[in-house]
Amino acid sequence: MERITEDQVARLARFVSARIPDTASLQGDARRTATALRLAANKQIAAVLFHRNSPAERSGETELHAAASWNLLVALAGIWHDHPDFPADAAVETFDFDCESPLTTSVQRDS
């Protein structure tokens, strides 16, 4: 998570949040879908920010959750990968989880 900059976090969070429609203008399934997307995005953003703002001695406890949350946030952003404002340089950092040892992560950089 330390390779991801504050700017990358902020730009990806802003990008995803801006793409999710305001629920006040929606009805029925569209409203429920937008609400679910907003909730999912906000939880992932909160987990990443919580980890980044945690004291160093607690970072081991929060890093795995933050890495998984970052991956989900990147996946959400990927829905709009064709958008001209897509922050490709922010979304390039993702984490692989080892099936044999899922509590360890390694950084993957897409080219």
Side-chain angles (χ1 to χ4, degrees), residues 88-102:
D89 61 318
V92 74
E93 297 284 356
T94 59
F95 300 87
D96 271 346
F97 294 89
D98 182 353
C99 292
E100 298 294 319
S101 181

Side-chain angles (χ1 to χ4, degrees), residues 36-84:
L37 276 173
R38 173 102 33 220
L39 179 65
N42 288 346
K43 284 183 172 267
Q44 305 328 304
I45 293 165
V48 170
L49 294 177
F50 181 80
H51 169 70
R52 295 183 75 81
N53 294 315
S54 291
E57 61 271 4
R58 290 201 59 211
S59 68
E61 300 169 22
T62 62
E63 185 168 10
L64 183 64
H65 187 204
S69 293
W70 179 257
N71 281 0
L72 185 52
L73 192 59
V74 168
L76 285 171
I79 294 170
W80 302 283
H81 71 277
D82 290 336
H83 192 281

Side-chain angles (χ1 to χ4, degrees), residues 1-22:
M1 289 297 306
E2 61 275 352
R3 288 178 53 171
I4 299 168
T5 68
E6 292 293 328
D7 181 60
Q8 287 174 309
V9 172
R11 285 186 301 118
L12 195 65
R14 275 193 312 271
F15 177 79
V16 170
S17 293
R19 306 283 84 70
I20 300 170
D22 181 21

